[in-house]
Amino acid sequence: MRIVFLGAPGVGKGTQADRVAAHFKLAKISTGDLLREAVRNQTDLGREAKRYMDQGQLVPDAVVIGLVRDKLVEPGSANGFVLDGFPRTVAQAEELGTALQATKRPLQRVVNFQVPRADVVRRLSGRRSCPKCQATFHVEFAPSKKGNACDRCGETLVQRSDDKPEAIETRLKVYGEQTAPLIQYYASKRLLSELDASGPVDEVFEALFGVLAPYSAI
Ligand code: AP5
């Protein structure tokens, strides 16, 4: 299965990508996760990316395209992949199309997650992450059983620097200007499925399963 999760920041793409990848045994390729890893490791790429990420701006296309190209050819992607947060511009989508065409493994579905703006802001501002094991929580919808410490490893949870109100506003604006055009782009290629992602996590997963199941045997 070769799929893309599209949608505004905070609609739940990462949460569902984890579940879908585990259920269908796919590689989860999240450009946000890859970039945050580079930032943590203080690589040159990470240092460059951090300047954009902290402000809620997109990292230059050439940087993220290189990261994804490397992941697509890793053995872990042989059984298929779910792309979370990529592509985010038409230029990225075209590069992805070219890379997949070269391997004769085209995309099968692009799922557009839809959540009202007020809910997205609530999801983002309440998100907390573990800086050690990268687990994600939400103060209201998915709280850690250990309060402000991580359920899995006990580390103190933190708020992502781009989940502060100013950066959230910028990310939503950037999404509208640079990423939302991909909805029409993939609709015109007859690859798009719309998903109401406003309900609880289990409900969204069930709806998503209905969209993806037909592709599981391919
Ligand atoms: P990235 O990490 O991709 O951020 P994003 O797309 O803004 O997505 P988020 O991780 O914020 O949200 P999500 O939809 O995954 O929601 P989640 O499941 O976490 O990118 C970060 C930055 O990296 C970008 O701003 C950019 O700078 C750079 N970047 C990344 N990719 C790039 C690219 N391709 N090109 C250029 N730059 C790029 O859920 C959010 C919260 O809601 C969590 O707390 C969760 O617990 C909760 N939640 C999830 N589902 C539900 C539900 N159903 N009900 C209630 N709460 C829920």
Side-chain angles (χ1 to χ4, degrees), residues 8-15 31-33 35-36 52-53 56-59 64 84-88 92 123-124 127-128 136-138 141-142 160 162 171 197 199-201 204:
V11 290
K13 304 180 297 295
T15 302
T31 40
D33 289 351
L35 290 167
R36 279 185 290 278
Y52 298 92
M53 295 170 79
Q57 298 289 348
L58 294 186
V59 173
V64 280
D84 160 27
F86 181 94
R88 252 175 156 100
Q92 292 179 16
R123 287 186 187 183
L124 290 174
R127 172 166 52 193
R128 297 293 179 269
T136 301
F137 302 89
H138 191 282
F141 304 124
R160 260 169 57 173
D162 60 349
R171 286 161 70 198
V201 173
V204 175

Side-chain angles (χ1 to χ4, degrees), residues 57-75:
Q57 298 289 348
L58 294 186
V59 173
D61 285 340
V63 174
V64 280
I65 287 167
L67 284 176
V68 173
R69 273 183 184 278
D70 290 349
K71 285 284 163 191
L72 288 175
V73 296
E74 282 183 1

